[in-house]
Amino acid sequence: MVGSDSYLAEQALESLLQAAVGDERADAVQVFRGDETTWPRILEAARTGSLFATRRAVVVRNADAIKGEGEEVEGYLDDPAPGAALILMAVKPDKRKTVWKKILGRAHEVPANPLKPAALRARVRDEVRGRRLALAEGALEELIETVGQDLRRLMGELDKLEAFATGRQEPLSADDVSAVLGRALGQPIYRMSDAMGDRKPALALGQLEKLMDDGEPGLKLLGALHRALRQVRAARAMNEARVPARAIAAKLLPGNMAFKLDALLAAARHWSDEDLKAAFAALDRADRSIKNGGDPRAALSVAVVEACGRTDPGIRPGARRPSR
């Protein structure tokens, strides 16, 4: 199997072992690490029978690093050991090498590459459906936005949500998902971005503080704030041009996030062209400050306040929040 997603790789390995030897594996499975062995040793293990198992499997993890040129492999491919499955787990085998050209040309290749965002969402959605886990609108997005693209971690968090949902009659909301996942997973950046787009500086500053405390880089957060304002500016312009709502959603939002269109259009109504121009100028000043060695927390806090203006009680444009 080929690919770097450890969760998919382990699932594929389990499927291959089940097909090769079934459930009885104590004497039927032999495991090697590629960086600790050679091709002759692996092929010898594949050819050596067992007194206790009629079907066998030889598994090589990190097979990219097997030592030697592998001249012996072609002979084994021409005459493989009966009843033995040779399973090579490699992240990215060097296809320039003769040995891998021969193997990949004749082996059954099982991909284990990280899923692209759309495929990952579909995979998680199928998993939710298979578990009969009821999620309200926005809850799945909350899960993926918070956890990220790590499929193994997503499956682990689904285990937690499934346990939490036991005995509940109503679907889990986005807030339920957020509460179950907890602060240990870190603060999702989109909450800060949404607050910025909504022109709610107090809320945006609160999320900014949490993200900085979690160790998020200042320039990364600045980029998220820029994206939020660019999205608002685009929504505002398209709405004024009487672009149909469906077209605005298709242009500015991923398909699974189309439900956020109403909130985005509402946020756009909080800004004028002059406001947005001033807001971008404030973010540009923060960018220069950070890149010149300024404190990211202070620079971003000032930028949020200056960008949003006098919209929240107790927030004064230009006021500095104390840095930690």
mmCIF file of all heavy atoms in Angstrom, residues 7 11 120-135 139-144 147-148 150-166 172 177 180-181 185:
data_model
loop_
_atom_site.group_PDB
_atom_site.id
_atom_site.type_symbol
_atom_site.label_atom_id
_atom_site.label_comp_id
_atom_site.label_asym_id
_atom_site.label_seq_id
_atom_site.Cartn_x
_atom_site.Cartn_y
_atom_site.Cartn_z
ATOM 1 N N TYR A 7 -4.163 6.480 9.316
ATOM 2 C CA TYR A 7 -5.443 5.839 9.621
ATOM 3 C C TYR A 7 -5.890 4.972 8.443
ATOM 4 O O TYR A 7 -6.270 3.802 8.615
ATOM 5 C CB TYR A 7 -6.494 6.901 9.925
ATOM 6 C CG TYR A 7 -7.842 6.332 10.273
ATOM 7 C CD1 TYR A 7 -8.117 5.892 11.565
ATOM 8 C CD2 TYR A 7 -8.845 6.207 9.312
ATOM 9 C CE1 TYR A 7 -9.356 5.351 11.890
ATOM 10 C CE2 TYR A 7 -10.076 5.667 9.623
ATOM 11 C CZ TYR A 7 -10.338 5.245 10.913
ATOM 12 O OH TYR A 7 -11.554 4.696 11.224
ATOM 13 N N GLN A 11 -6.212 0.819 8.263
ATOM 14 C CA GLN A 11 -7.453 0.184 7.819
ATOM 15 C C GLN A 11 -7.196 -0.755 6.648
ATOM 16 O O GLN A 11 -7.728 -1.868 6.590
ATOM 17 C CB GLN A 11 -8.473 1.250 7.414
ATOM 18 C CG GLN A 11 -9.248 1.851 8.565
ATOM 19 C CD GLN A 11 -10.550 2.474 8.096
ATOM 20 O OE1 GLN A 11 -10.620 3.057 7.017
ATOM 21 N NE2 GLN A 11 -11.583 2.328 8.902
ATOM 22 N N LEU A 120 -12.751 14.015 2.354
ATOM 23 C CA LEU A 120 -12.683 13.817 3.799
ATOM 24 C C LEU A 120 -14.034 14.099 4.445
ATOM 25 O O LEU A 120 -14.493 13.347 5.310
ATOM 26 C CB LEU A 120 -11.601 14.714 4.401
ATOM 27 C CG LEU A 120 -11.421 14.570 5.919
ATOM 28 C CD1 LEU A 120 -9.951 14.473 6.278
ATOM 29 C CD2 LEU A 120 -12.056 15.733 6.661
ATOM 30 N N ARG A 121 -14.688 15.179 4.030
ATOM 31 C CA ARG A 121 -16.005 15.494 4.585
ATOM 32 C C ARG A 121 -16.998 14.384 4.267
ATOM 33 O O ARG A 121 -17.819 14.005 5.099
ATOM 34 C CB ARG A 121 -16.503 16.837 4.034
ATOM 35 C CG ARG A 121 -15.738 18.025 4.590
ATOM 36 C CD ARG A 121 -16.204 19.332 3.965
ATOM 37 N NE ARG A 121 -15.391 20.439 4.438
ATOM 38 C CZ ARG A 121 -15.595 21.095 5.559
ATOM 39 N NH1 ARG A 121 -16.609 20.756 6.333
ATOM 40 N NH2 ARG A 121 -14.801 22.084 5.926
ATOM 41 N N ALA A 122 -16.920 13.858 3.037
ATOM 42 C CA ALA A 122 -17.819 12.767 2.665
ATOM 43 C C ALA A 122 -17.544 11.532 3.504
ATOM 44 O O ALA A 122 -18.483 10.835 3.934
ATOM 45 C CB ALA A 122 -17.668 12.455 1.174
ATOM 46 N N ARG A 123 -16.263 11.271 3.762
ATOM 47 C CA ARG A 123 -15.897 10.111 4.572
ATOM 48 C C ARG A 123 -16.422 10.256 6.007
ATOM 49 O O ARG A 123 -16.981 9.311 6.581
ATOM 50 C CB ARG A 123 -14.369 9.949 4.579
ATOM 51 C CG ARG A 123 -13.809 8.844 5.478
ATOM 52 C CD ARG A 123 -14.251 7.474 4.984
ATOM 53 N NE ARG A 123 -13.693 6.427 5.817
ATOM 54 C CZ ARG A 123 -12.575 5.749 5.522
ATOM 55 N NH1 ARG A 123 -11.908 6.032 4.416
ATOM 56 N NH2 ARG A 123 -12.139 4.795 6.313
ATOM 57 N N VAL A 124 -16.249 11.431 6.577
ATOM 58 C CA VAL A 124 -16.733 11.660 7.941
ATOM 59 C C VAL A 124 -18.257 11.600 7.971
ATOM 60 O O VAL A 124 -18.856 11.046 8.895
ATOM 61 C CB VAL A 124 -16.219 13.014 8.465
ATOM 62 C CG1 VAL A 124 -16.812 13.307 9.839
ATOM 63 C CG2 VAL A 124 -14.694 13.008 8.558
ATOM 64 N N ARG A 125 -18.893 12.167 6.952
ATOM 65 C CA ARG A 125 -20.356 12.145 6.890
ATOM 66 C C ARG A 125 -20.865 10.699 6.821
ATOM 67 O O ARG A 125 -21.840 10.328 7.491
ATOM 68 C CB ARG A 125 -20.834 12.934 5.670
ATOM 69 C CG ARG A 125 -22.346 13.186 5.646
ATOM 70 C CD ARG A 125 -22.737 14.014 4.447
ATOM 71 N NE ARG A 125 -22.124 15.332 4.477
ATOM 72 C CZ ARG A 125 -21.195 15.753 3.642
ATOM 73 N NH1 ARG A 125 -20.757 14.945 2.699
ATOM 74 N NH2 ARG A 125 -20.700 16.954 3.733
ATOM 75 N N ASP A 126 -20.194 9.861 6.022
ATOM 76 C CA ASP A 126 -20.582 8.449 5.939
ATOM 77 C C ASP A 126 -20.387 7.752 7.273
ATOM 78 O O ASP A 126 -21.193 6.898 7.668
ATOM 79 C CB ASP A 126 -19.763 7.745 4.859
ATOM 80 C CG ASP A 126 -20.166 8.180 3.449
ATOM 81 O OD1 ASP A 126 -21.257 8.770 3.302
ATOM 82 O OD2 ASP A 126 -19.378 7.930 2.509
ATOM 83 N N GLU A 127 -19.306 8.098 7.961
ATOM 84 C CA GLU A 127 -19.038 7.499 9.264
ATOM 85 C C GLU A 127 -20.125 7.899 10.268
ATOM 86 O O GLU A 127 -20.600 7.075 11.048
ATOM 87 C CB GLU A 127 -17.668 7.942 9.764
ATOM 88 C CG GLU A 127 -17.225 7.311 11.072
ATOM 89 C CD GLU A 127 -16.838 5.859 10.942
ATOM 90 O OE1 GLU A 127 -16.530 5.422 9.808
ATOM 91 O OE2 GLU A 127 -16.854 5.149 11.975
ATOM 92 N N VAL A 128 -20.526 9.161 10.239
ATOM 93 C CA VAL A 128 -21.595 9.635 11.122
ATOM 94 C C VAL A 128 -22.891 8.881 10.840
ATOM 95 O O VAL A 128 -23.594 8.445 11.752
ATOM 96 C CB VAL A 128 -21.803 11.154 10.940
ATOM 97 C CG1 VAL A 128 -23.086 11.612 11.615
ATOM 98 C CG2 VAL A 128 -20.604 11.914 11.496
ATOM 99 N N ARG A 129 -23.175 8.719 9.551
ATOM 100 C CA ARG A 129 -24.401 8.008 9.164
ATOM 101 C C ARG A 129 -24.332 6.544 9.608
ATOM 102 O O ARG A 129 -25.316 5.993 10.105
ATOM 103 C CB ARG A 129 -24.584 8.109 7.652
ATOM 104 C CG ARG A 129 -25.928 7.590 7.162
ATOM 105 C CD ARG A 129 -26.051 7.749 5.647
ATOM 106 N NE ARG A 129 -25.949 9.140 5.251
ATOM 107 C CZ ARG A 129 -24.965 9.634 4.520
ATOM 108 N NH1 ARG A 129 -23.971 8.853 4.123
ATOM 109 N NH2 ARG A 129 -24.956 10.914 4.193
ATOM 110 N N GLY A 130 -23.175 5.921 9.417
ATOM 111 C CA GLY A 130 -23.030 4.522 9.809
ATOM 112 C C GLY A 130 -23.167 4.309 11.303
ATOM 113 O O GLY A 130 -23.643 3.255 11.747
ATOM 114 N N ARG A 131 -22.786 5.289 12.084
ATOM 115 C CA ARG A 131 -22.905 5.193 13.538
ATOM 116 C C ARG A 131 -24.298 5.610 14.033
ATOM 117 O O ARG A 131 -24.553 5.553 15.230
ATOM 118 C CB ARG A 131 -21.864 6.100 14.200
ATOM 119 C CG ARG A 131 -20.413 5.706 13.964
ATOM 120 C CD ARG A 131 -19.488 6.757 14.535
ATOM 121 N NE ARG A 131 -18.090 6.486 14.268
ATOM 122 C CZ ARG A 131 -17.141 6.424 15.204
ATOM 123 N NH1 ARG A 131 -17.462 6.600 16.472
ATOM 124 N NH2 ARG A 131 -15.896 6.200 14.879
ATOM 125 N N ARG A 132 -25.140 6.070 13.119
ATOM 126 C CA ARG A 132 -26.477 6.577 13.471
ATOM 127 C C ARG A 132 -26.361 7.720 14.494
ATOM 128 O O ARG A 132 -27.135 7.815 15.441
ATOM 129 C CB ARG A 132 -27.375 5.466 14.016
ATOM 130 C CG ARG A 132 -27.607 4.338 13.025
ATOM 131 C CD ARG A 132 -28.525 3.272 13.613
ATOM 132 N NE ARG A 132 -28.706 2.171 12.689
ATOM 133 C CZ ARG A 132 -29.593 2.128 11.691
ATOM 134 N NH1 ARG A 132 -30.381 3.180 11.496
ATOM 135 N NH2 ARG A 132 -29.692 1.080 10.908
ATOM 136 N N LEU A 133 -25.363 8.566 14.267
ATOM 137 C CA LEU A 133 -25.119 9.703 15.140
ATOM 138 C C LEU A 133 -25.832 10.919 14.565
ATOM 139 O O LEU A 133 -25.518 11.371 13.456
ATOM 140 C CB LEU A 133 -23.615 9.963 15.243
ATOM 141 C CG LEU A 133 -23.150 11.131 16.116
ATOM 142 C CD1 LEU A 133 -23.587 10.933 17.557
ATOM 143 C CD2 LEU A 133 -21.617 11.264 16.042
ATOM 144 N N ALA A 134 -26.812 11.432 15.282
ATOM 145 C CA ALA A 134 -27.619 12.545 14.782
ATOM 146 C C ALA A 134 -26.926 13.871 15.056
ATOM 147 O O ALA A 134 -26.668 14.224 16.215
ATOM 148 C CB ALA A 134 -29.002 12.529 15.437
ATOM 149 N N LEU A 135 -26.614 14.616 13.986
ATOM 150 C CA LEU A 135 -25.984 15.923 14.098
ATOM 151 C C LEU A 135 -26.883 16.982 13.472
ATOM 152 O O LEU A 135 -27.407 16.792 12.366
ATOM 153 C CB LEU A 135 -24.625 15.938 13.390
ATOM 154 C CG LEU A 135 -23.545 14.985 13.914
ATOM 155 C CD1 LEU A 135 -22.269 15.149 13.095
ATOM 156 C CD2 LEU A 135 -23.265 15.226 15.382
ATOM 157 N N ALA A 139 -23.190 21.151 12.798
ATOM 158 C CA ALA A 139 -22.410 20.378 13.763
ATOM 159 C C ALA A 139 -21.238 19.659 13.108
ATOM 160 O O ALA A 139 -20.135 19.606 13.655
ATOM 161 C CB ALA A 139 -23.310 19.372 14.488
ATOM 162 N N LEU A 140 -21.469 19.104 11.918
ATOM 163 C CA LEU A 140 -20.381 18.426 11.208
ATOM 164 C C LEU A 140 -19.286 19.418 10.837
ATOM 165 O O LEU A 140 -18.092 19.127 10.966
ATOM 166 C CB LEU A 140 -20.917 17.740 9.954
ATOM 167 C CG LEU A 140 -19.882 16.974 9.122
ATOM 168 C CD1 LEU A 140 -19.335 15.786 9.912
ATOM 169 C CD2 LEU A 140 -20.479 16.488 7.810
ATOM 170 N N GLU A 141 -19.689 20.606 10.398
ATOM 171 C CA GLU A 141 -18.706 21.631 10.051
ATOM 172 C C GLU A 141 -17.917 22.061 11.281
ATOM 173 O O GLU A 141 -16.710 22.293 11.209
ATOM 174 C CB GLU A 141 -19.408 22.841 9.425
ATOM 175 C CG GLU A 141 -19.886 22.626 8.002
ATOM 176 C CD GLU A 141 -21.039 21.646 7.906
ATOM 177 O OE1 GLU A 141 -21.831 21.565 8.876
ATOM 178 O OE2 GLU A 141 -21.131 20.939 6.885
ATOM 179 N N GLU A 142 -18.597 22.152 12.421
ATOM 180 C CA GLU A 142 -17.909 22.492 13.667
ATOM 181 C C GLU A 142 -16.845 21.452 14.000
ATOM 182 O O GLU A 142 -15.724 21.780 14.389
ATOM 183 C CB GLU A 142 -18.923 22.585 14.812
ATOM 184 C CG GLU A 142 -18.316 22.846 16.177
ATOM 185 C CD GLU A 142 -17.798 24.256 16.328
ATOM 186 O OE1 GLU A 142 -18.222 25.143 15.560
ATOM 187 O OE2 GLU A 142 -16.962 24.487 17.220
ATOM 188 N N LEU A 143 -17.186 20.188 13.811
ATOM 189 C CA LEU A 143 -16.241 19.097 14.079
ATOM 190 C C LEU A 143 -15.003 19.220 13.199
ATOM 191 O O LEU A 143 -13.865 19.202 13.686
ATOM 192 C CB LEU A 143 -16.930 17.756 13.840
ATOM 193 C CG LEU A 143 -16.031 16.517 13.837
ATOM 194 C CD1 LEU A 143 -15.418 16.286 15.210
ATOM 195 C CD2 LEU A 143 -16.807 15.284 13.385
ATOM 196 N N ILE A 144 -15.218 19.373 11.891
ATOM 197 C CA ILE A 144 -14.081 19.374 10.969
ATOM 198 C C ILE A 144 -13.278 20.660 11.086
ATOM 199 O O ILE A 144 -12.041 20.642 11.027
ATOM 200 C CB ILE A 144 -14.582 19.144 9.532
ATOM 201 C CG1 ILE A 144 -15.218 17.753 9.420
ATOM 202 C CG2 ILE A 144 -13.431 19.264 8.538
ATOM 203 C CD1 ILE A 144 -15.833 17.454 8.068
ATOM 204 N N VAL A 147 -11.239 20.210 14.474
ATOM 205 C CA VAL A 147 -10.234 19.142 14.520
ATOM 206 C C VAL A 147 -9.240 19.266 13.377
ATOM 207 O O VAL A 147 -8.054 18.990 13.533
ATOM 208 C CB VAL A 147 -10.924 17.765 14.497
ATOM 209 C CG1 VAL A 147 -9.893 16.641 14.472
ATOM 210 C CG2 VAL A 147 -11.829 17.606 15.710
ATOM 211 N N GLY A 148 -9.712 19.684 12.195
ATOM 212 C CA GLY A 148 -8.823 19.773 11.051
ATOM 213 C C GLY A 148 -8.931 18.547 10.157
ATOM 214 O O GLY A 148 -9.894 17.782 10.213
ATOM 215 N N ASP A 150 -7.048 15.797 10.006
ATOM 216 C CA ASP A 150 -6.462 14.554 10.494
ATOM 217 C C ASP A 150 -7.559 13.515 10.671
ATOM 218 O O ASP A 150 -8.356 13.573 11.608
ATOM 219 C CB ASP A 150 -5.755 14.817 11.831
ATOM 220 C CG ASP A 150 -4.964 13.609 12.313
ATOM 221 O OD1 ASP A 150 -5.391 12.467 12.070
ATOM 222 O OD2 ASP A 150 -3.911 13.811 12.952
ATOM 223 N N LEU A 151 -7.625 12.538 9.747
ATOM 224 C CA LEU A 151 -8.717 11.566 9.754
ATOM 225 C C LEU A 151 -8.707 10.711 11.020
ATOM 226 O O LEU A 151 -9.766 10.426 11.590
ATOM 227 C CB LEU A 151 -8.624 10.680 8.511
ATOM 228 C CG LEU A 151 -9.766 9.692 8.298
ATOM 229 C CD1 LEU A 151 -11.103 10.408 8.231
ATOM 230 C CD2 LEU A 151 -9.527 8.885 7.020
ATOM 231 N N ARG A 152 -7.537 10.314 11.480
ATOM 232 C CA ARG A 152 -7.470 9.499 12.696
ATOM 233 C C ARG A 152 -8.038 10.277 13.887
ATOM 234 O O ARG A 152 -8.796 9.726 14.699
ATOM 235 C CB ARG A 152 -6.017 9.088 12.976
ATOM 236 C CG ARG A 152 -5.848 8.246 14.245
ATOM 237 C CD ARG A 152 -4.386 7.933 14.496
ATOM 238 N NE ARG A 152 -3.837 7.115 13.439
ATOM 239 C CZ ARG A 152 -4.012 5.798 13.355
ATOM 240 N NH1 ARG A 152 -4.730 5.164 14.263
ATOM 241 N NH2 ARG A 152 -3.478 5.113 12.368
ATOM 242 N N ARG A 153 -7.675 11.524 13.987
ATOM 243 C CA ARG A 153 -8.164 12.336 15.099
ATOM 244 C C ARG A 153 -9.671 12.561 14.992
ATOM 245 O O ARG A 153 -10.397 12.548 15.996
ATOM 246 C CB ARG A 153 -7.429 13.677 15.107
ATOM 247 C CG ARG A 153 -7.581 14.474 16.382
ATOM 248 C CD ARG A 153 -6.663 15.681 16.325
ATOM 249 N NE ARG A 153 -6.749 16.467 17.545
ATOM 250 C CZ ARG A 153 -6.104 17.617 17.719
ATOM 251 N NH1 ARG A 153 -5.347 18.098 16.762
ATOM 252 N NH2 ARG A 153 -6.213 18.278 18.851
ATOM 253 N N LEU A 154 -10.150 12.748 13.763
ATOM 254 C CA LEU A 154 -11.581 12.915 13.556
ATOM 255 C C LEU A 154 -12.349 11.678 14.004
ATOM 256 O O LEU A 154 -13.402 11.779 14.640
ATOM 257 C CB LEU A 154 -11.862 13.207 12.082
ATOM 258 C CG LEU A 154 -11.584 14.637 11.611
ATOM 259 C CD1 LEU A 154 -11.560 14.704 10.093
ATOM 260 C CD2 LEU A 154 -12.621 15.597 12.160
ATOM 261 N N MET A 155 -11.824 10.501 13.681
ATOM 262 C CA MET A 155 -12.495 9.269 14.097
ATOM 263 C C MET A 155 -12.506 9.148 15.623
ATOM 264 O O MET A 155 -13.490 8.715 16.222
ATOM 265 C CB MET A 155 -11.799 8.055 13.480
ATOM 266 C CG MET A 155 -11.914 7.965 11.972
ATOM 267 S SD MET A 155 -13.613 7.861 11.362
ATOM 268 C CE MET A 155 -13.797 9.509 10.660
ATOM 269 N N GLY A 156 -11.419 9.560 16.249
ATOM 270 C CA GLY A 156 -11.367 9.521 17.707
ATOM 271 C C GLY A 156 -12.375 10.473 18.336
ATOM 272 O O GLY A 156 -13.022 10.129 19.342
ATOM 273 N N GLU A 157 -12.522 11.664 17.738
ATOM 274 C CA GLU A 157 -13.494 12.612 18.280
ATOM 275 C C GLU A 157 -14.927 12.150 18.032
ATOM 276 O O GLU A 157 -15.818 12.416 18.841
ATOM 277 C CB GLU A 157 -13.264 13.998 17.671
ATOM 278 C CG GLU A 157 -11.928 14.616 18.022
ATOM 279 C CD GLU A 157 -11.676 14.665 19.522
ATOM 280 O OE1 GLU A 157 -12.623 14.954 20.281
ATOM 281 O OE2 GLU A 157 -10.533 14.408 19.929
ATOM 282 N N LEU A 158 -15.161 11.422 16.951
ATOM 283 C CA LEU A 158 -16.485 10.845 16.729
ATOM 284 C C LEU A 158 -16.817 9.818 17.801
ATOM 285 O O LEU A 158 -17.978 9.691 18.217
ATOM 286 C CB LEU A 158 -16.564 10.200 15.340
ATOM 287 C CG LEU A 158 -16.804 11.137 14.163
ATOM 288 C CD1 LEU A 158 -16.827 10.350 12.855
ATOM 289 C CD2 LEU A 158 -18.102 11.904 14.331
ATOM 290 N N ASP A 159 -15.801 9.081 18.264
ATOM 291 C CA ASP A 159 -16.033 8.146 19.381
ATOM 292 C C ASP A 159 -16.536 8.898 20.606
ATOM 293 O O ASP A 159 -17.466 8.449 21.293
ATOM 294 C CB ASP A 159 -14.737 7.406 19.729
ATOM 295 C CG ASP A 159 -14.309 6.418 18.647
ATOM 296 O OD1 ASP A 159 -15.172 6.031 17.838
ATOM 297 O OD2 ASP A 159 -13.122 6.052 18.610
ATOM 298 N N LYS A 160 -15.935 10.060 20.886
ATOM 299 C CA LYS A 160 -16.359 10.862 22.033
ATOM 300 C C LYS A 160 -17.779 11.380 21.847
ATOM 301 O O LYS A 160 -18.595 11.343 22.772
ATOM 302 C CB LYS A 160 -15.385 12.020 22.239
ATOM 303 C CG LYS A 160 -14.017 11.606 22.739
ATOM 304 C CD LYS A 160 -13.002 12.734 22.633
ATOM 305 C CE LYS A 160 -13.398 13.978 23.382
ATOM 306 N NZ LYS A 160 -12.346 15.017 23.314
ATOM 307 N N LEU A 161 -18.075 11.859 20.646
ATOM 308 C CA LEU A 161 -19.411 12.387 20.390
ATOM 309 C C LEU A 161 -20.464 11.288 20.482
ATOM 310 O O LEU A 161 -21.578 11.512 20.978
ATOM 311 C CB LEU A 161 -19.463 13.046 19.011
ATOM 312 C CG LEU A 161 -18.664 14.340 18.848
ATOM 313 C CD1 LEU A 161 -18.663 14.783 17.393
ATOM 314 C CD2 LEU A 161 -19.237 15.441 19.732
ATOM 315 N N GLU A 162 -20.104 10.099 20.001
ATOM 316 C CA GLU A 162 -21.039 8.982 20.057
ATOM 317 C C GLU A 162 -21.359 8.610 21.504
ATOM 318 O O GLU A 162 -22.518 8.359 21.856
ATOM 319 C CB GLU A 162 -20.443 7.777 19.322
ATOM 320 C CG GLU A 162 -21.411 6.633 19.100
ATOM 321 C CD GLU A 162 -20.806 5.544 18.236
ATOM 322 O OE1 GLU A 162 -19.563 5.502 18.104
ATOM 323 O OE2 GLU A 162 -21.580 4.731 17.706
ATOM 324 N N ALA A 163 -20.343 8.615 22.347
ATOM 325 C CA ALA A 163 -20.574 8.318 23.762
ATOM 326 C C ALA A 163 -21.420 9.408 24.412
ATOM 327 O O ALA A 163 -22.325 9.126 25.213
ATOM 328 C CB ALA A 163 -19.241 8.182 24.488
ATOM 329 N N PHE A 164 -21.147 10.655 24.054
ATOM 330 C CA PHE A 164 -21.893 11.777 24.621
ATOM 331 C C PHE A 164 -23.362 11.731 24.215
ATOM 332 O O PHE A 164 -24.251 12.114 24.986
ATOM 333 C CB PHE A 164 -21.263 13.096 24.151
ATOM 334 C CG PHE A 164 -21.969 14.331 24.632
ATOM 335 C CD1 PHE A 164 -21.770 14.802 25.927
ATOM 336 C CD2 PHE A 164 -22.833 15.028 23.801
ATOM 337 C CE1 PHE A 164 -22.409 15.951 26.378
ATOM 338 C CE2 PHE A 164 -23.475 16.176 24.241
ATOM 339 C CZ PHE A 164 -23.262 16.632 25.539
ATOM 340 N N ALA A 165 -23.626 11.255 22.990
ATOM 341 C CA ALA A 165 -24.990 11.262 22.458
ATOM 342 C C ALA A 165 -25.843 10.114 22.973
ATOM 343 O O ALA A 165 -27.055 10.097 22.731
ATOM 344 C CB ALA A 165 -24.946 11.225 20.934
ATOM 345 N N THR A 166 -25.247 9.168 23.676
ATOM 346 C CA THR A 166 -26.003 8.010 24.149
ATOM 347 C C THR A 166 -27.181 8.448 25.028
ATOM 348 O O THR A 166 -27.012 9.188 25.994
ATOM 349 C CB THR A 166 -25.099 7.063 24.956
ATOM 350 O OG1 THR A 166 -24.019 6.639 24.127
ATOM 351 C CG2 THR A 166 -25.881 5.853 25.446
ATOM 352 N N LEU A 172 -27.161 16.399 18.069
ATOM 353 C CA LEU A 172 -26.116 17.227 18.662
ATOM 354 C C LEU A 172 -25.989 18.515 17.850
ATOM 355 O O LEU A 172 -25.868 18.487 16.628
ATOM 356 C CB LEU A 172 -24.779 16.493 18.667
ATOM 357 C CG LEU A 172 -24.681 15.203 19.485
ATOM 358 C CD1 LEU A 172 -23.263 14.651 19.422
ATOM 359 C CD2 LEU A 172 -25.105 15.418 20.914
ATOM 360 N N VAL A 177 -21.117 19.954 19.995
ATOM 361 C CA VAL A 177 -19.860 19.435 19.449
ATOM 362 C C VAL A 177 -18.686 20.217 20.011
ATOM 363 O O VAL A 177 -17.674 19.647 20.443
ATOM 364 C CB VAL A 177 -19.869 19.496 17.907
ATOM 365 C CG1 VAL A 177 -18.485 19.165 17.349
ATOM 366 C CG2 VAL A 177 -20.913 18.536 17.354
ATOM 367 N N VAL A 180 -18.045 19.216 23.643
ATOM 368 C CA VAL A 180 -17.479 17.880 23.798
ATOM 369 C C VAL A 180 -16.014 17.854 23.384
ATOM 370 O O VAL A 180 -15.171 17.240 24.046
ATOM 371 C CB VAL A 180 -18.284 16.852 22.980
ATOM 372 C CG1 VAL A 180 -17.588 15.490 22.986
ATOM 373 C CG2 VAL A 180 -19.686 16.705 23.553
ATOM 374 N N LEU A 181 -15.702 18.522 22.276
ATOM 375 C CA LEU A 181 -14.313 18.518 21.805
ATOM 376 C C LEU A 181 -13.405 19.222 22.798
ATOM 377 O O LEU A 181 -12.270 18.800 23.014
ATOM 378 C CB LEU A 181 -14.214 19.189 20.439
ATOM 379 C CG LEU A 181 -15.010 18.539 19.305
ATOM 380 C CD1 LEU A 181 -14.701 19.236 17.992
ATOM 381 C CD2 LEU A 181 -14.717 17.061 19.199
ATOM 382 N N LEU A 185 -8.420 20.856 21.984
ATOM 383 C CA LEU A 185 -8.202 20.795 20.550
ATOM 384 C C LEU A 185 -7.773 22.139 19.971
ATOM 385 O O LEU A 185 -7.477 22.243 18.806
ATOM 386 C CB LEU A 185 -9.489 20.337 19.855
ATOM 387 C CG LEU A 185 -9.848 18.873 20.042
ATOM 388 C CD1 LEU A 185 -11.211 18.585 19.435
ATOM 389 C CD2 LEU A 185 -8.798 17.980 19.422
#
